[in-house]
Amino acid sequence: MHLILGSLLAGAVAGGSARKLAWRPVAKGLIKQGIRLQRSVMDLTAEVRAETNRLVTDARAELDGEPGEPIVEAAS
């Protein structure tokens, strides 16, 4: 994607046809890709957060359900 955009920019500057190049569709396409990427990252982080919450809930339930077991603390 970067190579394509760089080629378009270099061609526009070198050829003197910067006025003929339609910048709006290129910019709009880049913005749309950025929005898609943002949505994908947000979905992934939501899944990770949900799984982490389930793990914490399970760990707490196990600790609450097993009285009398010693709690091992990490050595400093």
Side-chain angles (χ1 to χ4, degrees):
M1 182 67 150
H2 292 96
L3 294 174
I4 295 170
L5 186 59
S7 298
L8 286 173
L9 183 60
V13 171
S17 61
R19 292 182 187 158
K20 295 179 184 177
L21 186 64
W23 290 101
R24 184 175 168 87
V26 173
K28 187 176 179 181
L30 290 172
I31 291 170
K32 286 170 72 174
Q33 290 290 9
I35 292 170
R36 285 186 186 117
L37 179 63
Q38 179 187 15
R39 288 178 180 172
S40 297
V41 169
M42 289 175 60
D43 290 343
L44 178 63
T45 56
E47 290 175 20
V48 169
R49 191 177 309 124
E51 182 62 25
T52 303
N53 287 337
R54 285 191 292 270
L55 288 171
V56 169
T57 301
D58 290 347
R60 286 182 178 160
E62 286 179 12
L63 285 175
D64 292 342
E66 300 174 2
E69 283 206 20
I71 298 176
V72 180
E73 294 183 13
S76 298

